[in-house]
Amino acid sequence: MSYFDAASSAPLHPVARQALHAALDEGWADPARLYREGRRARLLLDAAREAAAEAIGCRPDELTFTTSGTRAVHTGIAGALAGRHRVGHHLIVSAVEHSSVLHSAESHRRTGGTVSEVPVLRTGAVSPDAYADALRPDTALACLQSANHEVGTRQPVAAVAEACREAGVPLLVDAAQSLAWGPVEGGWSLLTGSAHKWGGPAGVGLLAVRKGVRYAAQGPADERESGRAPGFENIPAVVAAAASLRAVRAEADAESVRLRELTDRIRARVPELVPDVEVVGDPVTRLPHLLTFSCLYVDGETLLHELDREGFSVSSGSSCTSSTLTPSHVLKAMGVLSEGNVRVSLPLGTPAEEVDRFLAVLPRTVAAVREKLGAPATGAVAVSPTGAPDALVVDALGKRCPIPVIELAKVITQVPLGGTVRVLSDDEAARLDIPAWCEMRGQEYAGEEPAPRGTAYLVRRVTL
């Protein structure tokens, strides 16, 4: 089985396993106690904090261990907003932040705060100027990920941090996806991470708060972890997290080059091997191990199941794989195709032979899924019949992705050049995928109109 979903959770690093086993015997006591076992536990905890702080680029006394990366985000945002409540209640996030950040933003909005979402370019990156324009006199906190968890695009953290510094606003950086590859550049104020993203054990998060940042811990007070993370420290897991972070950093330079070559190979070969594919995200300014592509006329859930049967574990941001049946907020913000979305994120040590096997399996797997769905043949040039109507209506109400787009593709050649197809759909993904299809197929998207049920999407035929 080839595990290609390291962005969700990386396999436990061998160093993490060794450190965990050793710390289970040495780090079980209460580190707040003064007897021998407590002192031994405290030494382990302090050493882990120093190692993790060095990797992050902060002081040990600025670093708190939490019970998860999500908890680190929630704690960091809540504490920073509370610490600056006299300045105002305005929070800035990007449109492609991790759900933990967006959930915190929604909670802040429900309690009376205001939130601004900075849009992103089609690559998934924010514009530093757009971010700077969102800053206001009442802005209490700004948040920006270091790299996107779905498409791998790196964000201009240093430039945004400088704009925030000039405005006197602290910047919280969610660095969960990038910490394995190096420290975050720029003058950030708060930073969060998650150990299972770099091969550490699950259940360990990091929250760094720079000295001088106004911060007020929320919730009942606790004497542990500077009052920012209540509860007894899981010292064995913390030790394993710090040890694995140091270990992956030692491999990072060499593995970054090697894995980027492999992901570049996938980025180049997939569009050559599979018709009607859009590779999304920044092709250069991105994480070395992660890439995402979307396939027209493909049910994302079915494609993932079929790839699993072939021995590949990948993930997707497609609406077809979501319990809410809505497209990924990241793909939606980027304005790219969400159908048949596949995210490939290679763990450290992935052999090149596994990537070659993936490239051999993918074309026939996509073709089989398309055939099952009755997708139109690709590459054929069709001419509209004589006397064809100038307009057609496709009723795709009640049908989920990618059926509305498949039905559109089947009938577009039945109208003459300049003719229109009106697609009726109540699937939220259609708002994203029909314009994306038009761009990929050279047709004109003419906008949307309200309909008695759902929405009508207008497509004008401008090419054969």
Side-chain angles (χ1 to χ4, degrees):
M1 192 73 181
S2 297
Y3 182 75
F4 284 2
D5 195 21
S8 291
S9 189
L12 192 67
H13 195 282
V15 168
R17 182 175 285 106
Q18 295 168 3
L20 182 63
H21 287 168
L24 285 171
D25 293 330
E26 297 291 330
W28 51 268
D30 187 345
R33 302 306 176 203
L34 299 180
Y35 43 69
R36 180 178 57 189
E37 293 86 355
R39 294 196 305 272
R40 186 182 300 138
R42 169 57 63 182
L43 287 173
L44 288 174
L45 181 59
D46 289 346
R49 197 184 311 277
E50 289 176 6
E54 181 182 3
I56 291 170
C58 67
R59 292 169 35 164
D61 60 351
E62 294 174 332
L63 180 62
T64 298
F65 292 112
T66 67
T67 53
S68 69
T70 294
R71 173 53 59 192
V73 167
H74 292 173
T75 300
I77 291 177
L81 288 172
R84 286 174 49 83
H85 71 279
R86 292 181 179 177
V87 173
H89 302 279
H90 180 232
L91 171 66
I92 302 175
V93 300
S94 83
V96 294
E97 293 299 315
H98 187 268
S99 59
S100 60
V101 174
L102 299 183
H103 291 162
S104 288
E106 182 57 33
S107 177
H108 179 60
R109 185 183 283 113
R110 286 197 302 267
T111 56
T114 58
V115 179
S116 294
E117 267 195 15
V118 180
V120 296
L121 307 172
R122 194 172 176 84
T123 61
V126 301
S127 160
D129 290 340
Y131 215 100
D133 289 343
L135 294 166
R136 306 187 327 206
D138 64 336
T139 301
L141 178 68
C143 300
L144 182 65
Q145 61 195 196
S146 56
N148 187 260
H149 52 285
E150 287 194 31
V151 301
T153 298
R154 288 186 180 271
Q155 299 290 355
V157 172
V160 170
E162 178 60 22
C164 290
R165 186 195 64 78
E166 292 178 357
V169 174
L171 176 67
L172 182 147
V173 176
D174 168 19
Q177 285 296 343
S178 72
L179 275 180
W181 306 106
V184 176
E185 297 181 358
W188 50 267
S189 303
L190 302 95
L191 182 141
T192 63
S194 185
H196 74 100
K197 301 289 188 180
W198 65 69
V204 179
L206 305 178
L207 170 61
V209 181
R210 296 281 198 196
K211 294 295 182 184
V213 174
R214 296 188 65 84
Y215 187 92
Q218 299 300 286
D222 194 287
E223 68 276 9
R224 298 182 185 273
E225 292 299 305
S226 303
R228 293 173 182 167
F232 196 95
E233 296 94 342
N234 185 349
I235 293 176
V238 165
V239 168
S244 58
L245 180 55
R246 174 178 285 180
V248 298
R249 282 289 184 80
E251 307 171 61
D253 289 345
E255 276 294 272
S256 176
V257 173
R258 196 181 68 83
L259 292 181
R260 184 174 288 274
E261 290 176 352
L262 295 180
T263 53
D264 281 344
R265 185 185 309 175
I266 299 174
R267 290 182 65 92
R269 292 291 289 151
V270 166
E272 297 173 355
L273 297 169
V274 183
D276 296 319
V277 165
E278 182 179 13
V279 182
V280 301
D282 196 296
V284 178
T285 310
R286 61 179 180 85
L287 295 173
H289 70 304
L290 193 158
L291 76 142
T292 297
F293 58 88
S294 298
C295 307
L296 270 178
Y297 317 132
V298 168
D299 178 327
E301 186 172 7
T302 301
L303 179 58
L304 264 58
H305 284 319
E306 292 302 315
L307 287 171
D308 183 50
R309 286 161 59 93
E310 294 284 354
F312 293 97
S313 301
V314 298
S315 64
S316 172
S318 172
S319 60
C320 311
T321 63
S322 167
S323 60
T324 61
L325 292 178
T326 58
S328 149
H329 71 280
V330 172
L331 302 178
K332 186 174 181 180
M334 292 168 63
V336 297
L337 183 71
S338 74
E339 284 181 22
N341 179 260
V342 175
R343 181 184 68 180
V344 174
S345 48
L346 307 178
L348 299 177
T350 299
E353 292 77 14
E354 292 187 18
V355 169
D356 292 337
R357 189 168 70 86
F358 176 76
L359 292 172
V361 163
L362 183 68
R364 69 171 183 266
T365 304
V366 173
V369 173
R370 284 174 172 167
E371 184 177 2
K372 288 180 183 178
L373 292 172
T378 59
V381 177
V383 179
S384 55
T386 303
D390 289 335
L392 288 176
V393 175
V394 172
D395 186 351
L397 293 168
K399 299 176 181 178
R400 299 300 176 188
C401 72
I403 302 302
V405 178
I406 289 176
E407 296 300 319
L408 166 63
K410 286 180 176 178
V411 303
I412 190 70
T413 59
Q414 296 178 21
V415 298
L417 292 177
T420 60
V421 177
R422 182 183 173 98
V423 183
L424 303 178
S425 177
D426 52 5
D427 180 11
E428 179 64 24
R431 178 167 284 110
L432 186 62
D433 290 344
I434 289 177
W437 178 88
C438 291
E439 182 168 335
M440 293 177 70
R441 305 303 293 169
Q443 307 298 348
E444 179 185 342
Y445 178 63
E448 63 178 68
E449 298 174 350
R453 285 181 57 205
T455 303
Y457 300 94
L458 277 62
V459 176
R460 183 172 294 108
R461 186 184 183 192
V462 294
T463 62
L464 293 177

